[in-house]
Amino acid sequence: MNSGVNCRFCGGPLAEFVDLGMSPLCESYLTENQRNSMEPFYPLAACVCRDCLLVQLQEYVAPEHIFSEYAYFSAYSDAWVERARR
């Protein structure tokens, strides 16, 4: 299936290969006051560039919406730091 969107890297045509439906952003935690509010959901359809084979999502969400309260820091994981050191 052709998505009609171009690759962010090379500008080539994209082909959708899996559609996982709608999903909220990862690592977005709701406060107590937000529990009864609708959380934003975004399409989660993976596409591959027919020219450079880069896999990417069709929909673009600005980085500040994804990483402003990102809870995972690999430098704080002793197991991950040890694995990277090895």
Side-chain angles (χ1 to χ4, degrees):
M1 170 186 309
N2 190 340
S3 68
V5 178
N6 292 345
C7 175
R8 288 187 193 101
F9 181 69
C10 75
L14 297 180
E16 183 179 307
F17 67 90
V18 65
D19 185 348
L20 299 174
M22 301 293 284
S23 178
L25 293 177
C26 71
E27 302 290 338
S28 57
Y29 301 107
L30 301 178
T31 66
E32 183 74 25
N33 295 336
Q34 295 172 312
R35 285 187 355 174
N36 293 323
S37 300
M38 182 62 187
E39 187 173 1
F41 277 62
Y42 300 90
L44 187 56
C47 299
V48 63
C49 175
R50 293 181 185 269
D51 293 338
C52 73
L53 302 178
L54 178 69
V55 174
Q56 55 202 281
L57 300 177
Q58 283 182 281
E59 294 295 315
Y60 177 77
V61 179
E64 58 269 15
H65 291 140
I66 299 172
F67 299 110
S68 63
E69 304 255 346
Y70 199 63
Y72 179 77
F73 299 101
S74 61
Y76 295 110
S77 167
D78 294 336
W80 177 249
V81 171
E82 177 60 24
R83 179 182 172 96
R85 186 189 63 74
R86 283 184 281 154

